[in-house]
Amino acid sequence: MTAADRLRAIPSWQVTLGVALLALGFLIAAQLASESPRVRYTTQERTPLLETAGQLQADQDAVKKRILELRAQIQSIEGEGEGAEDLVRQLNARLQEARIAAGLIALTGTGIVLQLEDSRDPVPPGGSDADYLVGSRDIRTVVEELWGAGAEAIAVNGERITSTSAIIDIGPSLLVNSAYLAPPYQVSAIGPPDLYDRLSASPGFVDFVRARGDGYGIQISLAEPDSVDVPAFVGTVTLRYSRPNPSPSAGPTAGPSGVPGG
C-alpha cells in the first residue's frame, strides 16, 4: 500500500481534528508572543511612571502653594498702597492748609469790602494835608480791626495781606508788599456772614470812623457783595537768613562749620 493509499484510508474527521489542533497551537503561540512585551512593560515601567507622576504632582502642589503666597503678598502690598494713598491725601490736605494760611491760595467766600478815599474837605489854615489823606496807618488800622472781627483773608487793592506784608507810605501812595498802590483803597475781607456786624461792634473801628471820617472827612464806605474774591500772594516767600529749628526727634544737625549744633 502506497502513502497516498494510506492518506485516503484515514477518516476525514481525524484530518479535520488534526488541522484544528494545529491552528489552535498557532493561535496559542501568537497569544503568548503578544502578551510577553505587555507583561514585561507593566512590570518594568510601572515604577518609574509612578515616580514621575508623583514628582509632577509634588511640583504642581509647590506651584499652587507659591501662587497662594504671591496672592497673599499682592493683597498685603495693595493694603499698604491704600494706606500710602491715605497718607498722601492727608499730607496734601495739610499742605493745602499751610498754603492757605500763608496766603498762597486764592480764596472766595462771604465777606465785606471797605473803600477809603481821601477827604474832600478843605484843609484849614494851620492844618496838615496828611491828615486829610488816607495813609498807611489808616489801612493798617482797618486790617487789624478786620482780623479782630474774624476775617480769614484780606487784600488791599488786590494785594494779599500776609504775615510778612508791609504797608508803608510812599508820598501820596502806599507800598503794600512790593506793589505801589494809589487811592482810593479797597480793603476786601473774607470772613463769617456777620463780619460786618462784628466789625461795627468793635470799639476800635467805631473810634476810627469817628476820628478819621467825622474829624477829617475821610470817606469810608462799605459793601456786602454775595461773594468776595481775595487773590493769592504773589510776592517771594524765600527766607534768606532764617531756617526752621530741627525737630528734637531728628537728632543734632550740623551747623555751618560742620559741627553739630554749630
Side-chain angles (χ1 to χ4, degrees):
M1 181 178 291
T2 62
D5 294 335
R6 292 192 185 97
L7 290 175
R8 281 193 295 268
I10 298 174
S12 60
W13 64 271
Q14 292 182 354
V15 175
T16 302
L17 179 60
V19 172
L21 291 174
L22 181 62
L24 180 61
F26 278 111
L27 290 174
I28 293 173
Q31 181 69 22
L32 292 175
S34 63
E35 287 183 354
S36 178
R38 181 178 65 83
V39 173
R40 185 169 55 252
Y41 171 80
T42 56
T43 55
Q44 295 181 359
E45 301 296 335
R46 181 178 178 81
T47 300
L49 286 176
L50 290 176
E51 293 177 354
T52 301
Q55 183 62 43
L56 291 175
Q57 184 64 43
D59 294 343
Q60 187 178 18
D61 292 340
V63 171
K64 290 180 179 179
K65 182 179 178 181
R66 182 56 177 165
I67 290 174
L68 293 176
E69 292 176 351
L70 291 176
R71 285 180 179 174
Q73 292 179 7
I74 291 173
Q75 292 177 354
S76 176
I77 293 173
E78 288 176 347
E80 294 176 357
E82 292 176 356
E85 290 178 359
D86 291 339
L87 178 60
V88 170
R89 281 193 294 267
Q90 294 176 8
L91 292 176
N92 285 334
R94 293 179 182 177
L95 179 60
Q96 184 77 349
E97 292 174 357
R99 287 175 174 172
I100 291 175
L104 303 180
I105 302 294
L107 300 176
T108 185
T110 60
I112 59 178
V113 178
L114 288 86
Q115 180 165 293
L116 286 77
E117 298 183 65
D118 295 338
S119 174
R120 298 177 184 176
D121 297 345
V123 179
S128 173
D129 292 343
D131 292 337
Y132 294 81
L133 302 177
V134 179
S136 61
R137 180 179 297 179
D138 300 321
I139 301 301
R140 286 196 297 267
T141 299
V142 171
V143 169
E144 290 171 0
E145 290 296 328
L146 285 169
W147 287 135
E152 296 178 344
I154 300 175
V156 178
N157 284 18
E159 281 295 318
R160 182 72 171 268
I161 302 300
T162 68
S163 60
T164 60
S165 296
I167 304 175
I168 305 172
D169 289 311
I170 302 294
S173 62
L174 295 179
L175 177 66
V176 179
N177 297 327
S178 58
Y180 292 92
L181 307 180
Y185 303 105
Q186 286 190 348
V187 183
S188 304
I190 295 177
D194 61 343
L195 180 61
Y196 171 72
D197 296 334
R198 295 186 182 188
L199 183 65
S200 301
S202 171
F205 184 74
V206 172
D207 292 341
F208 168 77
V209 172
R210 289 174 179 173
R212 299 298 287 150
D214 299 341
Y216 295 92
I218 297 297
Q219 301 179 64
I220 304 173
S221 57
L222 185 144
E224 290 184 275
D226 295 334
S227 178
V228 175
D229 297 328
V230 172
F233 176 71
V234 295
T236 177
V237 293
T238 303
L239 300 178
R240 298 176 55 190
Y241 306 107
S242 303
R243 61 183 179 183
N245 288 326
S247 173
S249 62
T253 58
S257 62
V259 179

